[in-house]
């Protein structure tokens, strides 16, 4: 039976009522009828999406209860996973020095991360609790993952960056070269057979 911790975090009574009245999938509300399974562990599929990500949106909670959303980016793999603890972490860059996310996490460690893989049209939501680790060299945000969920692909508009198109082109060129070599080998075999028959 799937872990229901995400449902217990995300779906309040109002959401459940609207799901039932609006014809939402019964599994959403049904998952709340049993006790909370507790934190989820990220699986291979989730870790693959996170390891490929070069951007994500990070939400924290302000002291007045408002959601605060920030965009974070870096080279693919800038969000790292520690297999020993199951935690995620990324280096927090200086930015505009408003420190809103850090101030929010000082008061309330709850956060959400939203990853979108545009070429593959997949998106992943992660709930967690953030800890700020500060050293002389860098400041890092470490996330103890609580729950995650996948969104449907329907509304994602595919986008392709240069690196992705370059990789795709290289893959197609490799397949084309392999096929060309196969066809040339077949031509050579047939020519040899014809020469044998004529000879």
């Amino acid at each position: 039976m799937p872990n229901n911790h995400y449902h217990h975090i995300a779906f309040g009574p109002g959401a459940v009522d609207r799901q039932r009245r609006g014809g939402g999938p019964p599994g959403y509300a049904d998952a709340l009828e049993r006790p909370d399974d507790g934190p989820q562990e990220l699986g291979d599929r989730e870790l693959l999406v996170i390891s490929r990500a070069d951007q994500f949106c990070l939400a924290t909670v302000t002291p007045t209860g408002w959601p605060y959303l920030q965009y974070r980016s870096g080279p693919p793999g800038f969000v790292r996973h520690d297999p020993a603890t199951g935690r995620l972490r990324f280096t927090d860059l200086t930015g505009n020095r408003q420190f809103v996310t850090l101030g929010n996490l000082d008061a309330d460690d709850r956060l959400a991360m939203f990853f979108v893989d545009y070429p593959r049209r997949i998106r992943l939501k992660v709930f967690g609790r953030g800890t700020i680790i500060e050293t002389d060299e860098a400041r890092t945000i470490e996330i103890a993952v609580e729950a995650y969920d996948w969104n449907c692909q329907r509304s994602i508009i595919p986008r392709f960056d240069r690196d992705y198109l370059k990789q795709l082109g290289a893959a197609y060129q490799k397949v084309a070269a392999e096929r060309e070599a196969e066809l040339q080998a077949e031509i050579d075999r047939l020519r040899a057979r014809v020469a044998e028959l004529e000879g």
Side-chain angles (χ1 to χ4, degrees):
M1 191 172 293
N3 186 296
N4 68 355
H5 192 45
Y6 174 86
H7 301 78
H8 278 272
I9 290 174
F11 301 145
V16 170
D17 181 55
R18 283 190 172 270
Q19 288 166 12
R20 289 189 169 130
R21 287 188 290 124
Y28 289 160
D30 293 349
L32 296 173
E33 293 177 0
R34 66 179 206 273
D36 191 331
D37 292 331
Q40 290 175 274
E41 290 185 20
L42 296 167
D44 292 341
R45 182 181 178 213
E46 293 76 32
L47 292 174
L48 180 60
V49 168
I50 292 168
S51 70
R52 286 176 173 164
D54 60 2
Q55 60 182 312
F56 72 94
C57 289
L58 176 66
T60 54
V61 184
T62 69
T64 53
W66 286 90
Y68 182 75
L69 192 65
Q70 276 200 326
Y71 173 84
R72 299 298 170 105
S73 64
F78 82 104
V79 180
R80 302 175 309 281
H81 174 253
D82 180 351
T85 63
R87 296 184 173 204
L88 301 174
R89 59 171 51 195
F90 65 92
T91 301
D92 185 55
L93 302 178
T94 304
N96 57 17
R97 298 183 181 273
Q98 290 182 351
F99 301 113
V100 178
T101 294
L102 300 180
N104 289 345
L105 289 174
D106 283 338
D108 186 333
D109 64 356
R110 292 175 299 166
L111 57 75
M113 306 168 82
F114 191 71
F115 296 90
V116 182
D117 184 330
Y118 289 100
R120 297 169 187 85
R121 298 182 65 216
I122 51 179
R123 51 189 170 175
L124 173 67
K125 293 180 289 189
V126 177
F127 283 123
R129 295 186 177 275
T131 302
I132 303 161
I133 301 170
E134 300 193 68
T135 66
D136 292 338
E137 293 78 32
R139 182 173 58 234
T140 301
I141 296 179
E142 184 177 80
I143 299 99
V145 175
E146 286 281 336
Y148 63 85
D149 191 36
W150 293 92
N151 276 114
C152 68
Q153 298 176 319
R154 185 180 60 217
S155 303
I156 301 175
I157 299 170
R159 290 185 169 89
F160 306 96
D161 62 21
R162 281 194 186 109
D163 288 340
Y164 181 82
L165 291 174
K166 187 176 178 182
Q167 290 171 14
L168 203 58
Y172 280 125
Q173 287 172 358
K174 181 182 177 189
V175 169
E178 289 171 354
R179 183 64 179 143
E180 183 180 355
E182 288 172 7
L183 291 172
Q184 187 60 54
E186 181 67 9
I187 289 168
D188 293 344
R189 187 187 68 78
L190 291 172
R191 281 182 177 159
R193 180 67 178 143
V194 167
E196 183 184 318
L197 291 173
E198 289 177 343

